[in-house]
């Protein structure tokens, strides 16, 4: 079977299928059974398109006998049933305890189809033939991706790319780059994309994907001009391929925003909105809302965000409500802003929601309440994030307004946040003044009443 395995690794499936079919027809019983099992494996690689032929190969193998308790046969059958959407109660009893890497690969594939991602990851074993080895890494990458473990997913895809050949290697490198982007690792993404580009010719659709990922990587690295250039190349390739994704004008819009070209960014986002499927529209509307907020177009931001909030399945509703609360707060509509902020906190956007609640209380001179909200916001936000910086600044400011109560806290928070504030920002000088005053009070041993 070595020649067949090599053909499969090289992507020569027609030749491999022909040789296996001949062996199934003319080989001895044991050889025919082995050939039919491998043939079923090959057809399983085609997903739903290969279901009928994979089932037929398994049936023919079963008719040759001695497969009722064969781990690989049962694992393959379980995979096919899981792919068809059969329930766990039909699939899981098929699995037998085994250390055979091939059987465990197909068990893992079935578990993946069933949504049992952690189990799928634990089931995989090394020692697979090359044509399955890279697929096992790809399976691992997909499971990790769904679990939100982007760095691990990227590494798995790269591991698979190191085994795969030709287009499979190219596509795995694109998958790895996409995961490095999601993980915020722009340099790692660029390296994977450079390797992909070096592999030779690519279809317009694949080229569009590569340029799109290049644009996102350059955005991460603070290169908006280069990002815009790559986004435009991606748009050109999409025109050529006829496949127009909503994400490409989105990334162009993000680059334009970083370059301060708001009107052009809105045009790009509106193009994304035209391209987006129903499930994708909320993401574009959220981007439009945040962009309008950043530009001070609060009424416009409110419109986009209210349209977004009609989408119940959007996974970031809490943050969208916090953004709406900010748009309402900036318009001076404190009652509506407070209601939206409290709902945002309830839905998990605690840092953003608490920050707006703090601003409302501060403006109304309810400083003790404001301080409590700001402290909560700082506690719940990720260090260095926009919300964390804003909350730390306002805790310091509110304590100063309360007569420099707790100068130790003022000093500690000011020193923590200053490295995150640009020297040209007016807050930088304000924080330095608060820190100096608090340090003086502590040095003199005085505490304000």
């Amino acid at each position: 079977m070595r020649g067949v395995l090599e053909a499969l690794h090289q992507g020569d499936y027609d030749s491999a299928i022909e040789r296996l079919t001949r062996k199934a027809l003319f080989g001895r019983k044991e050889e025919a059974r082995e050939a039919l099992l491998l043939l079923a494996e090959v057809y399983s690689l085609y997903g739903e398109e290969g279901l009928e032929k994979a089932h037929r190969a398994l049936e023919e193998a079963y008719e040759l006998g001695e497969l009722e308790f064969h781990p690989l046969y049962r694992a393959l059958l379980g995979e096919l049933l899981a792919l068809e959407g059969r329930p766990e109660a039909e699939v899981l009893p098929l699995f037998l305890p085994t250390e055979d890497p091939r059987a465990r690969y197909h068990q893992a594939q079935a578990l993946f189809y069933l949504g049992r991602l952690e189990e799928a990851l634990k089931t995989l074993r090394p020692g697979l033939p090359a044509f399955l080895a890279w697929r096992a890494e790809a399976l691992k990458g997909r499971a990790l991706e769904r679990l939100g473990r982007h760095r691990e997913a990227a590494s798995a895809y790269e591991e698979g790319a190191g085994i795969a050949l030709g287009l499979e290697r190219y596509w795995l490198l694109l998958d790895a780059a996409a995961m490095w982007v999601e993980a915020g690792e722009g340099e790692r993404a660029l390296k994977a994309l450079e390797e992909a580009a070096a592999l030779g010719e690519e279809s317009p659709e694949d080229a569009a994907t590569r340029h799109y990922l290049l644009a996102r990587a350059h955005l991460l690295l603070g290169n908006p001009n280069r990002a815009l250039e790559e986004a435009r190349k991606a748009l050109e390739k999409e025109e050529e391929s006829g496949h127009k994704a909503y994400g490409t004008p989105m990334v162009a819009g993000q680059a334009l925003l970083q370059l301060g070209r708001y009107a052009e960014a809105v045009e790009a986002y509106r193009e994304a909105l035209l391209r987006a499927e129903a499930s994708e529209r909320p993401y574009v509307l959220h981007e439009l809302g945040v962009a309008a907020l950043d530009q001070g177009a609060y009424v416009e931001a409110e419109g986009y965000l209210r349209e977004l909030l009609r989408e119940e399945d959007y996974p970031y509703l809490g943050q969208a409500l916090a953004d709406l609360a900010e748009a309402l707060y900036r318009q001076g509509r404190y009652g509506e802003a407070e209601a939206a902020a409290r709902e945002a906190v309830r839905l998990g956007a605690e840092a953003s929601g608490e920050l707006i609640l703090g601003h409302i209380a501060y403006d109304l001179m309810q400083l003790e309440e404001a301080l409590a909200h700001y402290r909560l916001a700082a506690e719940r936000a990720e260090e260095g994030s926009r919300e964390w910086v804003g909350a730390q600044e306002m805790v310091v400011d509110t304590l100063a307004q309360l007569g420099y109560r707790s100068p130790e806290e003022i000093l500690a928070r000011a020193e923590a946040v200053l490295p995150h504030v640009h020297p040209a920002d007016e807050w930088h000088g304000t924080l330095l003044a608060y820190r100096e005053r608090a340090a003086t009070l502590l040095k003199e041993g005085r505490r304000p009443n």
Side-chain angles (χ1 to χ4, degrees):
M1 289 292 181
R2 183 176 297 176
V4 172
L5 296 178
E6 183 59 30
L8 289 171
H9 186 217
Q10 296 288 338
D12 186 2
Y13 300 109
D14 290 341
S15 173
I17 289 170
E18 182 184 344
R19 293 170 71 174
L20 288 169
T21 302
R22 194 163 55 246
K23 181 73 72 174
L25 287 171
F26 304 114
R28 294 191 304 273
K29 184 177 178 180
E30 294 77 10
E31 292 176 333
R33 188 166 49 224
E34 182 185 357
L36 285 164
L37 285 177
L38 184 49
L39 196 58
E41 278 189 283
V42 174
Y43 285 129
S44 76
L45 305 179
Y46 289 85
E48 292 183 2
E49 292 180 13
L51 272 172
E52 185 180 344
K53 290 181 178 179
H55 271 302
R56 190 182 307 133
L58 283 184
E59 287 166 8
E60 291 178 13
Y62 188 80
E63 288 171 2
L64 293 174
E66 301 179 13
L67 284 183
E68 187 175 354
F69 298 105
H70 193 291
L72 177 58
Y73 166 79
R74 292 172 69 102
L76 277 164
L77 182 57
E79 177 185 345
L80 299 181
L81 294 179
L83 179 58
E84 290 172 354
R86 302 286 188 88
E88 292 183 0
E90 289 187 43
V91 176
L92 298 181
L94 289 167
F95 297 167
L96 294 176
T98 179
E99 286 302 312
D100 173 33
R102 284 168 66 192
R104 292 186 73 101
Y105 166 78
H106 294 290
Q107 288 178 357
Q109 190 69 65
L111 289 165
F112 178 82
Y113 290 141
L114 293 171
R116 300 172 72 125
L117 306 178
E118 293 284 5
E119 289 178 67
L121 291 169
K122 292 175 184 175
T123 299
L124 291 167
R125 291 289 185 275
L128 287 163
F131 85 99
L132 288 180
W134 71 259
R135 286 182 168 89
E137 294 299 332
L139 173 59
K140 191 186 301 181
R142 290 196 302 274
L144 290 164
E145 181 177 346
R146 288 195 188 179
L147 291 167
R149 292 156 60 180
H150 298 126
R151 285 181 175 82
E152 293 172 81
S155 295
Y157 286 134
E158 286 188 337
E159 191 72 25
I163 306 168
L165 302 172
L167 275 175
E168 281 90 357
R169 184 180 180 202
Y170 173 89
W171 289 328
L172 283 166
L173 287 167
L174 292 191
D175 288 335
M179 288 300 95
W180 286 127
V181 166
E182 292 299 328
E185 299 275 2
E187 291 287 359
R188 299 290 296 269
L190 290 180
K191 184 175 182 295
L193 292 166
E194 184 180 343
E195 286 185 43
L199 291 177
E201 291 186 12
E202 56 189 356
S203 70
E205 189 172 338
D206 288 337
T209 300
R210 184 172 60 81
H211 285 297
Y212 163 75
L213 290 170
L214 281 167
R216 290 192 62 191
H218 281 296
L219 267 187
L220 282 174
L221 295 168
N223 305 323
N225 280 306
R226 182 66 188 277
L228 184 58
E229 178 187 337
E230 295 295 344
R232 285 175 171 162
K233 288 178 183 176
L235 288 166
E236 289 173 9
K237 290 296 181 181
E238 287 183 351
E239 287 291 337
E240 189 179 337
S241 71
H243 179 77
K244 298 182 179 182
Y246 86 102
T248 311
M250 278 264 284
V251 75
Q254 291 162 349
L256 287 162
L257 275 181
Q258 287 193 18
L259 293 167
R261 294 155 63 176
Y262 176 68
E264 293 173 78
V266 169
E267 280 185 37
Y269 284 134
R270 285 179 177 156
E271 172 62 23
L273 207 55
L274 288 172
R275 294 180 173 204
E277 302 288 340
S279 61
E280 297 164 341
R281 283 177 57 82
Y283 295 90
V284 187
L285 288 166
H286 204 165
E287 291 271 351
L288 278 163
V290 171
L293 260 182
D294 290 344
Q295 294 299 312
Y298 304 125
V299 175
E300 190 177 338
E302 179 189 352
Y304 291 130
L305 293 165
R306 286 199 185 279
E307 186 177 350
L308 154 63
L309 290 169
R310 298 189 195 109
E311 306 288 339
E312 294 181 3
D313 294 331
Y314 184 55
Y316 305 107
L317 277 178
Q319 188 56 52
L321 273 162
D323 293 328
L324 175 62
E326 182 176 352
L328 294 166
Y329 164 73
R330 299 295 179 187
Q331 295 175 61
R333 294 155 62 185
Y334 289 174
E336 294 171 83
E338 181 179 351
R342 291 193 183 281
E343 182 65 6
V345 170
R346 188 184 72 80
L347 291 177
E350 296 174 298
S352 303
E354 291 290 352
L355 190 59
I356 297 300
L357 291 171
H359 290 338
I360 294 167
Y362 186 96
D363 286 3
L364 297 173
M365 294 305 294
Q366 298 165 355
L367 297 184
E368 295 289 355
E369 183 181 341
L371 181 60
H373 287 304
Y374 288 139
R375 281 172 170 160
L376 266 175
E379 180 184 323
R380 303 294 161 79
E382 182 182 349
E383 183 174 343
S385 67
R386 175 174 171 263
E387 291 81 8
W388 183 84
V389 171
Q392 294 283 29
E393 291 170 344
M394 290 308 299
V395 170
V396 171
D397 182 83
T398 307
L399 286 170
Q401 302 308 316
L402 287 167
Y404 280 85
R405 192 174 73 197
S406 186
E408 300 94 339
E409 184 177 357
I410 291 175
L411 189 62
R413 288 187 186 269
E415 288 182 344
V417 77
L418 272 167
H420 300 275
V421 181
H422 194 278
D425 190 321
E426 62 182 23
W427 266 105
H428 197 271
T430 302
L431 288 166
L432 286 174
Y434 286 151
R435 184 183 70 174
E436 185 178 345
R437 173 68 173 149
T440 300
L441 289 170
L442 288 170
K443 185 176 181 181
E444 294 176 355
R446 293 191 294 119
R447 289 182 176 276
N449 294 326

